[in-house]
């Protein structure tokens, strides 16, 4: 999750102090595929619990949007500024290695990220207690997202005998799915979805009724346990059915592993479902935008796709 306020506040002070001091060779450039994996690994050490295939799925969305800061050839900072189209972008993966924080390098890479997204409405999921600092950086609060945690067996015990007749595996990106997803995300994301649905450890199911998609969900293996996202559904019953179908794909040997779902607070039905399933609230972010909150139907978002890319 992007901590842009830290870069703009702390790094700016140090940056100005060092203006007259010769700086080592610090360059900023797009990351290679292998270097994006370094950033994902750093995110894991920060406790963000990335997925096993996040690096490859994220980078294909906008290869030029994953930036690294290199000091004398060594990577010390990262940030993602993913442009989905000409109107919308999402910020994340802001990480400066601990020993280089406060050096001015964070400010510089943050400025490059903002320049990459110039002219677009930018979204981010950030630490809630820093909302005032995000506002100072030009972002407006939209709503909170909450991460809920449970286990496979814990949830399935409360989802017994859910119907499966209208649920099928989702292994490719159809025009119908593109159209459904577009109503629930601020921009077309065909490239992202192509990789997300086909990634090796991801399992996706769709719910159809009379030939029409009424919801879909993806389960992904993470460093610790699993995350479910997106979990899009036209009703709570459909969300229950999708959850039941996708949880059954987790190996029985992982039945007590944590399973996480990130839910937007405006969807009261999603929060009621979390309570029904006995899920525990473990984390919270502030969804903020640089311009305006996009017109998407949050009442059908039972699980955010990913805090890193929206």
């Amino acid at each position: 999750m992007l901590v842009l306020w830290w870069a703009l506040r702390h790094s700016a002070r140090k940056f100005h102090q060092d203006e007259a001091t010769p700086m080592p060779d610090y360059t900023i450039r797009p990351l290679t595929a292998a270097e994006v994996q370094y950033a994902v690994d750093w995110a894991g050490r920060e406790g963000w619990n990335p997925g096993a295939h996040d690096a490859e799925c994220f980078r294909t969305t906008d290869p030029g949007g994953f930036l690294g800061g290199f000091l004398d050839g060594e990577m010390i900072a990262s940030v993602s500024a993913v442009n989905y189209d000409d109107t919308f972008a999402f910020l994340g993966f802001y990480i400066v290695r601990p020993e280089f924080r406060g050096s001015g390098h964070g400010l510089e890479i943050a400025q490059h990220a903002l320049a990459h997204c110039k002219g677009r409405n930018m979204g981010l999921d950030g630490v809630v207690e820093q909302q005032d600092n995000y506002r100072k950086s030009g972002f407006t609060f939209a709503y909170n997202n909450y991460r809920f945690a449970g286990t496979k067996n814990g949830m399935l015990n409360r989802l017994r005998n859910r119907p499966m007749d209208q649920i099928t595996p989702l292994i490719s990106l159809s025009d119908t799915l593109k159209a459904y997803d577009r109503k629930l995300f601020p921009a077309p994301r065909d490239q992202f979805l192509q990789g997300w649905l086909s990634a090796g450890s991801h399992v996706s199911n769709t719910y159809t009724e009379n030939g029409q998609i009424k919801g879909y969900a993806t389960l992904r293996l993470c460093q610790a346990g699993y995350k479910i996202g997106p979990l899009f559904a036209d009703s709570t019953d459909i969300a229950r059915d999708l959850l039941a179908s996708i949880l059954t794909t987790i190996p029985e040997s992982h039945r007590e592993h944590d399973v996480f779902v990130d839910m937007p607070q405006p969807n009261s039905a999603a929060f009621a479902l979390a309570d029904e399933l006995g899920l525990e609230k473990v984390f919270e972010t502030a969804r903020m935008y640089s311009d305006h909150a996009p017109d998407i139907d949050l009442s059908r978002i039972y699980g955010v796709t990913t805090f890193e890319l929206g």
Side-chain angles (χ1 to χ4, degrees), residues 227-241:
K227 290 180 184 176
I228 296 174
L231 174 57
F232 293 166
D234 288 5
S235 71
T236 301
D237 279 342
I238 292 173
R240 287 192 192 96
D241 294 350

Side-chain angles (χ1 to χ4, degrees), residues 49-292:
N49 193 24
H53 294 277
D54 281 4
E56 60 195 75
C57 291
F58 291 170
R59 184 177 181 273
T60 58
T61 306
D62 178 9
F66 284 82
L67 304 175
F70 294 81
L71 188 63
D72 293 330
E74 181 182 4
M75 183 172 163
I76 66 162
S78 69
V79 68
S80 63
V82 172
N83 291 334
Y84 282 99
D85 63 7
D86 292 338
T87 64
F88 184 70
F90 206 86
L91 308 178
F93 276 106
Y94 176 80
I95 306 171
V96 178
R97 279 172 40 187
E99 64 269 33
F100 295 101
R101 292 173 185 174
S103 64
H105 301 110
L107 172 65
E108 195 168 344
I109 196 170
Q111 290 173 333
H112 276 71
L114 296 177
H116 182 72
C117 301
K118 185 177 180 180
R120 296 169 175 84
N121 184 21
M122 294 175 279
L124 62 84
D125 275 306
V127 184
V128 172
E129 58 266 25
Q130 299 301 335
Q131 287 181 30
D132 287 342
N133 292 304
Y134 293 128
R135 289 189 179 96
K136 292 174 185 177
S137 298
F139 289 82
T140 302
F141 173 80
Y143 53 85
N144 288 333
N145 288 314
Y146 287 85
R147 175 162 293 167
F148 290 90
T151 63
K152 169 187 174 176
N153 281 8
M155 284 190 267
L156 284 178
N157 286 340
R158 300 178 185 225
L159 289 167
R160 290 190 180 279
N161 303 317
R162 298 305 307 177
M164 301 289 179
D165 294 345
Q166 292 168 299
I167 293 176
T168 56
L170 181 57
I171 57 176
S172 63
L173 182 60
S174 66
D175 289 341
T176 305
L177 183 67
K178 292 177 189 177
Y180 183 84
D181 186 82
R182 183 63 185 86
K183 298 174 184 176
L184 303 175
F185 194 78
R189 51 176 182 170
D190 299 357
Q191 190 66 40
F192 169 79
L193 288 175
Q194 189 68 54
W196 200 246
L197 298 177
S198 62
S201 65
H202 292 197
V203 178
S204 300
N205 286 344
T206 185
Y207 185 105
T208 57
E209 189 175 284
N210 297 323
Q212 297 295 315
I213 293 177
K214 299 292 183 178
Y216 81 100
T218 297
L219 174 82
R220 86 188 200 266
L221 178 67
C222 294
Q223 286 186 350
Y226 296 82
K227 290 180 184 176
I228 296 174
L231 174 57
F232 293 166
D234 288 5
S235 71
T236 301
D237 279 342
I238 292 173
R240 287 192 192 96
D241 294 350
L242 284 166
L243 275 173
S245 72
I246 214 159
L247 288 167
T248 60
T249 69
I250 296 175
E252 186 58 19
S253 60
H254 291 184
R255 63 186 180 276
E256 296 302 330
H257 285 208
D258 285 329
V259 179
F260 304 97
V261 187
D262 301 327
M263 296 180 170
Q265 188 175 26
N267 188 346
S268 58
F271 273 48
L273 178 58
D275 184 63
E276 174 189 327
L277 298 178
L279 303 184
E280 178 186 3
K281 190 184 295 180
V282 296
F283 188 63
E284 180 180 356
T285 70
R287 173 62 62 88
M288 306 188 78
Y289 295 100
S290 63
D291 191 326
H292 62 279

